[in-house]
Amino acid sequence: MYKYIRGQYRDHSHHLFIPRTVTVTRGHPLRLEERRFLHKHRKGFFTILDAVGLDERFKVTIPLLLRQIEGLKLLHKTRNPKTADDKRIVAIRPLRKLGGGAVKPFSLDDTEDDDEDSDDIILLEKKIKSCSMPEPAMKVCMKEMKRLKKMPQSMPEYALTRNYLELMSELPWSKSTTDQLDIRAARILLDNDHYAMAKLKRRVLEYLAVRQLKNNLKGPILCFVGPPGVGKTSVGRSIAKTLGREFHRIALGGVCDQSDIRGHRRTYVGSMPGRIINGLKIVGVNNPVFLLDEVDKLGKSLQGDPAAALLEVLDPEQNHSFTDHYLNVAFDLSQVLFIATANSTATIPPALLDRMEVLEVPGYSQEEKLEIAHRHLIAKQLAQHGLTPEQIQIPPETTLEIITRYTREAGVRSLDRRLGAVCRAVAVKVAEGQHRHGKSETSDALRDILGAPMYEIEVFERLNQPGVAIGLAWTPLGGEIMFVEASRMDGEGQLTLTGQLGDVMKESAHLAISWLRSNAKKSSGTFDLLDSTDIHLHFPAGAVTKDGPSAGVAIVTCLASLFSGRLVCSDVAMTGEITLRGLVLPVGGIKDKVLAAHRAKLKRVILPQRNEKDLEEIPPNVRRDLTFIFAGSLEDVLNAAFDGGFFRKRGQELLNSKL
């Protein structure tokens, strides 16, 4: 065979002649591609034919073949890839059904990427087997792995299945951290990180103590409720640090799709697991501290109710088998310590609120803010602005002036921003070389930096005429003092209410009018003045919506002052719900309301009799500065609100003369 071809080339070396029917082997004529190859590489072919030894012949032949393969690869790339993929699928599928010992024929589409991908699948399978996942999850993974091996890479489901298996292998099925159960060290760490918050610290120490006695204790589900800026999120991070656990924060504000909690089903395009499973993948352990931030601001839409999806997550009796729609297998969440934060419980669904242990986080008093500023805030601002204590000194008097005249809040965020403004002003002077070392910031310098005071004590100026009283209100931002103003004019006995009042406050105003009418008739017998007089009741800050029953006693006091012509004591504030019989019922938010009265420099606070137990939560220094009067009826309220009493001495005479 070789002598014949060699002879053809040598006899016609001046011009290559390749007959159309040259026979290399019996019954197999040369194809057109073979003739072109011989024509293109005729010089190299002579060298191959001249080589006698097999080793020499291979050394010459292999470079030619590699060169031809590269050319064919380029030719395949220029063709339609869909057609090429379809041909490859048809060629590969029968080969996969062959036995393991069958030799796979050479294909131009087999590259190094295919070898690496097969190695990755083998490593992924080993990783899944070493995950120590539960048996049901392992069965699902093995089933998906078998499907993946039989699936060509060009199929869209190949990437989805592989992503699913990679997620299953990365989840911490049995990996956890060891809790630090030293109660003394935990107490010191909590005290160093946070000032006050005795109730929260005590609850964490109780958990540590029980954890020492029982190893398989389920993680508690806590809910910190309080105004913004009091440290709810930071105390959650400190709890994780105290326990020696990983910390992960999940922001739920504005979430309106239940798939954010439970994940999407894998039948959807772009499906992904929920935030709970994704958080476990990030932290890498099955007993982290999860902070569900702003749980009271969850939304609701056509995609479902995320608050309802959280019922399974936050139920200690159910979360040991939490099923994410993406995983479709149960995952144990019983060892996770869930901490939710909220500004108010009013917008939390009752079923969800019932599953959580609610811990109130009230606002800070002025003394607590002063201590927090000098322990934490000033040092943090100095570090952020590159200043040293030798370059700026903020005395307690200056800090107290910032607290009282430039901020009015339950937390310390505004105080932190004001201190940052002071540090920036000093940083400018230091950079210009005009600042003297060790200079303390005074009131005059504070006015130059922060401007005129934003808040002034206006209580005494606004109580200089009858028909004004001070109530105490609770808001998600903390307690606030609330002025109630009333005026009268000739008319038909109508009642006008302004100030964006809710239905409950409107009903309280009608209750106050009814009680005054009934008691005025008992004392004097005539009440013609109200029948021919219109009453206008106004609550300032009209842009803010107001509602709740705690303004009832303030409305009664305001109207009694209006018709008696007597001034309400300027140093007294009050709160409480009223009934038609004149009883004073208890209300909530006592600590925040008392702190608001203390911030306003008031001296006396009238509270319902049944709220006396709530004084235990008020700081001792605030209790020393205030005088508390507990009232069981409206007669007690009016006697305490007016100098010399209202009913005891001159009540009958005043009602006869004015009403």
Coordinates of all heavy atoms in Angstrom, one line a residue, residues 557-607:
T557 N -60.2 68.1 82.2 CA -59.5 69.2 82.9 C -59.5 70.5 82.1 O -59.8 71.6 82.6 CB -58.1 68.8 83.3 OG1 -58.1 67.6 84.0 CG2 -57.4 69.9 84.1
C558 N -59.3 70.4 80.8 CA -59.3 71.5 79.9 C -60.7 72.2 79.9 O -60.8 73.4 80.0 CB -58.9 71.1 78.5 SG -59.0 72.4 77.3
L559 N -61.7 71.4 79.8 CA -63.1 72.0 79.7 C -63.5 72.5 81.1 O -64.2 73.6 81.2 CB -64.1 70.9 79.3 CG -63.9 70.4 77.8 CD1 -64.9 69.2 77.5 CD2 -64.2 71.5 76.9
A560 N -63.1 71.9 82.2 CA -63.4 72.4 83.5 C -62.7 73.7 83.7 O -63.3 74.7 84.3 CB -63.0 71.4 84.6
S561 N -61.5 73.9 83.2 CA -60.8 75.2 83.3 C -61.5 76.2 82.5 O -61.6 77.4 82.9 CB -59.4 75.0 82.9 OG -58.7 76.2 82.8
L562 N -62.0 75.8 81.3 CA -62.7 76.8 80.5 C -63.9 77.4 81.1 O -64.1 78.6 81.1 CB -63.0 76.1 79.1 CG -63.8 77.0 78.1 CD1 -62.9 78.1 77.6 CD2 -64.2 76.1 76.9
F563 N -64.8 76.5 81.7 CA -66.0 77.0 82.2 C -65.9 77.5 83.6 O -66.8 78.2 84.1 CB -67.1 75.9 82.1 CG -67.5 75.6 80.7 CD1 -67.1 74.4 80.1 CD2 -68.2 76.5 80.0 CE1 -67.4 74.1 78.8 CE2 -68.6 76.2 78.7 CZ -68.2 75.0 78.1
S564 N -64.9 77.2 84.3 CA -64.7 77.7 85.7 C -63.9 79.0 85.7 O -63.9 79.7 86.7 CB -64.0 76.7 86.6 OG -62.7 76.4 86.1
G565 N -63.1 79.2 84.6 CA -62.3 80.4 84.5 C -61.1 80.3 85.4 O -60.4 81.4 85.5
R566 N -60.7 79.2 85.8 CA -59.5 79.0 86.6 C -58.4 78.4 85.8 O -58.6 77.6 84.9 CB -59.8 78.1 87.8 CG -60.9 78.6 88.8 CD -61.1 77.7 89.9 NE -59.9 77.4 90.7 CZ -59.9 76.5 91.6 NH1 -60.9 75.8 91.9 NH2 -58.7 76.4 92.3
L567 N -57.2 78.7 86.1 CA -56.0 78.2 85.4 C -55.6 76.9 86.0 O -55.6 76.6 87.2 CB -54.8 79.2 85.6 CG -55.0 80.6 85.0 CD1 -53.7 81.4 85.2 CD2 -55.2 80.5 83.5
V568 N -55.2 76.0 85.1 CA -54.6 74.7 85.5 C -53.2 74.9 86.0 O -52.5 75.8 85.4 CB -54.7 73.7 84.3 CG1 -54.1 72.4 84.7 CG2 -56.1 73.5 83.8
C569 N -52.8 74.2 87.0 CA -51.4 74.3 87.5 C -50.4 74.1 86.3 O -50.5 73.1 85.5 CB -51.1 73.4 88.6 SG -52.1 73.7 90.1
S570 N -49.4 75.0 86.2 CA -48.5 74.9 85.0 C -47.5 73.9 85.2 O -46.7 73.7 84.2 CB -47.8 76.3 84.9 OG -47.1 76.6 86.1
D571 N -47.3 73.2 86.3 CA -46.3 72.2 86.5 C -46.9 70.8 86.5 O -46.2 69.8 87.0 CB -45.5 72.5 87.7 CG -46.4 72.4 89.0 OD1 -47.6 72.4 88.8 OD2 -45.8 72.3 90.1
V572 N -48.1 70.6 86.1 CA -48.8 69.3 86.2 C -49.1 68.8 84.8 O -49.6 69.5 83.9 CB -50.0 69.3 87.1 CG1 -51.1 70.3 86.5 CG2 -50.6 68.0 87.3
A573 N -48.9 67.5 84.6 CA -49.4 66.8 83.4 C -50.2 65.5 83.8 O -50.0 65.1 84.9 CB -48.2 66.4 82.5
M574 N -51.0 65.0 82.9 CA -51.9 63.9 83.3 C -52.1 63.0 82.1 O -51.9 63.3 80.9 CB -53.2 64.5 83.8 CG -53.9 65.3 82.7 SD -55.1 66.5 83.4 CE -54.1 67.7 84.2
T575 N -52.5 61.8 82.5 CA -52.9 60.8 81.5 C -53.9 59.8 82.1 O -53.8 59.6 83.3 CB -51.7 60.0 80.9 OG1 -52.1 59.1 79.9 CG2 -50.9 59.3 82.0
G576 N -54.8 59.3 81.3 CA -55.7 58.3 81.8 C -57.0 58.3 81.0 O -57.4 59.2 80.4
E577 N -57.6 57.1 81.0 CA -58.9 56.9 80.3 C -60.0 57.2 81.2 O -60.0 56.8 82.4 CB -58.9 55.5 79.7 CG -60.2 55.2 78.9 CD -60.2 53.8 78.3 OE1 -59.3 53.1 78.6 OE2 -61.2 53.5 77.7
I578 N -61.1 57.7 80.7 CA -62.3 58.0 81.5 C -63.5 57.2 81.1 O -63.5 56.7 80.0 CB -62.6 59.5 81.4 CG1 -63.0 59.9 80.0 CG2 -61.5 60.4 81.9 CD1 -63.6 61.3 79.9
T579 N -64.4 57.1 82.0 CA -65.7 56.4 81.8 C -66.8 57.4 82.0 O -66.6 58.5 82.5 CB -65.9 55.2 82.7 OG1 -66.0 55.6 84.0 CG2 -64.7 54.3 82.6
L580 N -68.0 57.0 81.6 CA -69.2 57.9 81.7 C -69.5 58.1 83.2 O -70.1 59.1 83.5 CB -70.4 57.2 81.0 CG -71.6 58.1 80.7 CD1 -71.2 59.3 79.9 CD2 -72.7 57.3 80.0
R581 N -69.1 57.2 84.1 CA -69.4 57.4 85.5 C -68.3 58.2 86.2 O -68.4 58.4 87.4 CB -69.6 56.1 86.2 CG -70.8 55.3 85.7 CD -70.9 54.0 86.5 NE -69.7 53.1 86.3 CZ -69.4 52.1 87.1 NH1 -70.1 51.8 88.1 NH2 -68.3 51.4 86.8
G582 N -67.3 58.6 85.5 CA -66.2 59.4 86.1 C -65.1 58.6 86.6 O -64.2 59.2 87.4
L583 N -64.9 57.4 86.3 CA -63.8 56.6 86.7 C -62.6 56.8 85.8 O -62.7 57.1 84.6 CB -64.1 55.1 86.7 CG -65.3 54.6 87.6 CD1 -65.6 53.2 87.5 CD2 -65.0 55.0 89.1
V584 N -61.4 56.6 86.4 CA -60.1 56.8 85.6 C -59.5 55.4 85.5 O -59.2 54.8 86.5 CB -59.2 57.7 86.3 CG1 -57.9 57.9 85.5 CG2 -59.8 59.1 86.5
L585 N -59.4 55.0 84.2 CA -58.9 53.6 83.9 C -57.4 53.7 83.6 O -56.9 54.7 83.1 CB -59.7 53.0 82.8 CG -61.2 52.9 83.0 CD1 -61.9 52.2 81.8 CD2 -61.5 52.1 84.3
P586 N -56.7 52.6 83.8 CA -55.2 52.5 83.5 C -55.0 52.6 82.0 O -55.8 52.2 81.1 CB -54.8 51.2 84.1 CG -56.0 50.4 84.1 CD -57.1 51.3 84.3
V587 N -53.8 53.1 81.6 CA -53.3 53.2 80.2 C -51.9 52.6 80.2 O -51.3 52.3 81.2 CB -53.3 54.6 79.7 CG1 -54.8 55.1 79.6 CG2 -52.5 55.5 80.7
G588 N -51.4 52.5 79.0 CA -50.0 52.0 78.8 C -49.0 53.1 78.5 O -49.3 54.2 78.4
G589 N -47.7 52.6 78.3 CA -46.7 53.5 78.0 C -46.3 54.5 79.1 O -45.9 55.6 78.9
I590 N -46.5 54.1 80.4 CA -46.3 55.0 81.5 C -44.8 55.5 81.6 O -44.6 56.7 81.8 CB -46.7 54.3 82.8 CG1 -48.2 54.0 82.8 CG2 -46.3 55.1 84.0 CD1 -49.0 55.2 82.8
K591 N -43.9 54.6 81.4 CA -42.5 55.1 81.5 C -42.1 56.1 80.5 O -41.5 57.2 80.8 CB -41.5 53.9 81.4 CG -40.1 54.3 81.5 CD -39.1 53.1 81.5 CE -37.7 53.6 81.7 NZ -36.7 52.5 81.6
D592 N -42.5 55.9 79.2 CA -42.2 56.9 78.2 C -42.9 58.2 78.4 O -42.4 59.3 78.2 CB -42.7 56.4 76.8 CG -41.8 55.2 76.3 OD1 -40.6 55.3 76.6 OD2 -42.3 54.3 75.7
K593 N -44.2 58.2 78.9 CA -44.9 59.4 79.2 C -44.3 60.1 80.4 O -44.2 61.4 80.4 CB -46.4 59.0 79.6 CG -47.1 58.5 78.4 CD -48.5 58.1 78.8 CE -49.3 57.5 77.6 NZ -50.7 57.1 78.0
V594 N -43.9 59.4 81.4 CA -43.2 60.1 82.6 C -41.9 60.7 82.2 O -41.5 61.8 82.6 CB -43.0 59.1 83.7 CG1 -42.2 59.7 84.8 CG2 -44.4 58.7 84.3
L595 N -41.1 60.0 81.3 CA -39.9 60.6 80.8 C -40.1 61.8 80.0 O -39.3 62.8 80.1 CB -39.1 59.5 80.0 CG -38.5 58.3 80.8 CD1 -37.9 57.4 79.9 CD2 -37.6 58.8 81.9
A596 N -41.2 61.9 79.3 CA -41.5 63.1 78.5 C -41.8 64.2 79.4 O -41.4 65.4 79.2 CB -42.7 62.8 77.6
A597 N -42.6 64.0 80.5 CA -42.9 65.0 81.5 C -41.6 65.5 82.2 O -41.4 66.7 82.4 CB -43.9 64.5 82.5
H598 N -40.7 64.6 82.4 CA -39.4 65.0 83.0 C -38.6 65.8 82.1 O -37.9 66.8 82.5 CB -38.7 63.7 83.5 CG -37.4 64.0 84.3 ND1 -36.2 63.9 83.7 CD2 -37.3 64.3 85.6 CE1 -35.3 64.2 84.7 NE2 -35.9 64.4 85.8
R599 N -38.6 65.5 80.8 CA -37.8 66.3 79.8 C -38.4 67.7 79.7 O -37.7 68.7 79.5 CB -37.9 65.6 78.5 CG -37.0 64.4 78.3 CD -36.8 64.1 76.9 NE -38.0 63.7 76.2 CZ -38.5 62.5 76.1 NH1 -37.9 61.5 76.6 NH2 -39.6 62.3 75.4
A600 N -39.7 67.8 79.9 CA -40.4 69.2 79.8 C -40.3 70.0 81.1 O -40.9 71.0 81.2 CB -41.8 69.0 79.4
K601 N -39.5 69.5 82.1 CA -39.3 70.2 83.4 C -40.6 70.3 84.2 O -40.7 71.3 85.0 CB -38.7 71.6 83.1 CG -37.4 71.6 82.3 CD -36.3 70.9 83.0 CE -35.0 71.0 82.2 NZ -33.9 70.3 82.9
L602 N -41.5 69.4 84.0 CA -42.7 69.4 84.9 C -42.4 68.8 86.2 O -41.4 68.0 86.4 CB -43.8 68.6 84.2 CG -44.3 69.2 82.8 CD1 -45.3 68.3 82.2 CD2 -44.9 70.6 83.0
K603 N -43.2 69.1 87.2 CA -42.9 68.6 88.6 C -43.9 67.6 89.1 O -43.6 66.8 89.9 CB -43.0 69.8 89.5 CG -41.9 70.9 89.2 CD -40.5 70.3 89.3 CE -39.5 71.4 89.0 NZ -38.1 70.8 89.0
R604 N -45.2 67.6 88.6 CA -46.2 66.7 89.0 C -46.8 65.9 87.9 O -47.0 66.5 86.8 CB -47.3 67.4 89.8 CG -46.8 68.0 91.1 CD -47.9 68.5 91.9 NE -48.7 69.6 91.2 CZ -49.9 70.0 91.6 NH1 -50.5 69.4 92.5 NH2 -50.4 71.0 90.9
V605 N -47.2 64.7 88.1 CA -47.8 63.8 87.1 C -49.0 63.1 87.7 O -48.9 62.5 88.8 CB -46.8 62.8 86.5 CG1 -47.5 61.9 85.5 CG2 -45.6 63.5 85.9
I606 N -50.2 63.3 87.1 CA -51.4 62.6 87.5 C -51.5 61.3 86.7 O -51.6 61.3 85.5 CB -52.6 63.5 87.4 CG1 -52.4 64.8 88.2 CG2 -53.9 62.8 87.8 CD1 -53.5 65.8 88.0
L607 N -51.6 60.2 87.4 CA -51.7 58.9 86.8 C -52.9 58.1 87.4 O -53.3 58.4 88.5 CB -50.4 58.0 87.1 CG -49.1 58.6 86.6 CD1 -47.9 57.7 87.0 CD2 -49.1 58.7 85.0

